[in-house]
Amino acid sequence: MLQAAIIGYGGMGKWHHEAISGQVKDIAVTGAYDLRPEANDEARAKGLKVYAAARDLFADQDIDVVIIATPNDSHKDYIIQGLEAGKHVVCEKPVVLSSADLLEIMEVGKTSPGLFTIHQNRRWDRDFQTVKTILEEGEVGKAYFIESRVNGSSVFLHGWRDYKINGGGMLYDWGVHLIDQALQLIPEKVTSVTAHLFNIHSQEVDDNVKVLLTFESGISMLLEVATNCFIPAPRWHVSGRDGTFVIYNWQCEGKIVKLADSSALKWENDIVYTAAGPTRTMAPRPVNTTVEKPLPQILDARGNEYHRWSSADIFYHNLVEAIRGEAALLVQPEEALRVLKVMELAFASAEQGHGVSCLI
């Protein structure tokens, strides 16, 4: 049985504790450390050993795995200390605030017996797995434009996420997930990044984000995170050569509409009168030329439906297997490095006011 300790017993720290306790029989969370007395009181109430300092946690020979769930600006030092202590380290996203910092960590990792991975848990969201399956099966033909949106209406950012010094803002908070999903979805190099970062209510950091990625084959992907959107757009809208599909929400309500066959519509000479006025190009298709299908039912590798704790179940079972030498880590530092480089280009694009060419 591996023993784990959590640094940062806040919202996500408690999430990791609960998820591991309920899903992962080979790991036991036994300790915690937090700068805040009230968080330490919560940890004690849960039966955890509370450390007086982070160095005491790293020095504890009984601890095998360290889980870092602190504000973003503190990740780097804790990761390095954990690896230097020979621990296996799991860090919340974004792993650090710059690619240079991650490269420094990766150098330390080369001489550490401990494994290092990043909790990019949105790879196992049911909506993302649904999109991945539809595209892999070629249901709508070759995709050329993919829209991925997370729209909320909370307006104000919470706590440290509203402060630049802590690595706050929506590009770091949710953008990192959408970029990671994009790079997992399209196995090609990114050739350009164009970003618009808005400060609508926040004084210091971006609270609304739009990022357009272009890939080598010409596929484009629009990523959007909004905190003051009161009429949410669909979670996913994907345009392919032979059809379109939409996923409206986290419940995976949606549909696929595709060509019934590969034949083109017969072009008529007469104008078609629609609500948009006289038009041929935008006239609605005859219903017999398309077919509507439900979204596929997605199961994980064990044949189970994706559920609330699916990401923790898959992520931590993989970590256990990797520690035992039975599997490679599902989330590699090199993948997080690529995400960070794209994020850095997004910040540069927003500052410069134009797109940035690249080959990442």
Side-chain angles (χ1 to χ4, degrees), residues 127 147-150 178 181 233-236 247-250:
D127 61 280
E147 300 169 62
S148 170
R149 291 182 170 88
V150 174
L178 301 193
Q181 288 181 339
R235 174 68 184 88
W236 295 88
I247 300 177
Y248 294 111
N249 47 38
W250 301 108

Side-chain angles (χ1 to χ4, degrees), residues 20-31:
I20 291 171
S21 299
Q23 297 293 319
V24 189
K25 60 180 176 59
D26 295 307
I27 302 178
V29 178
T30 60

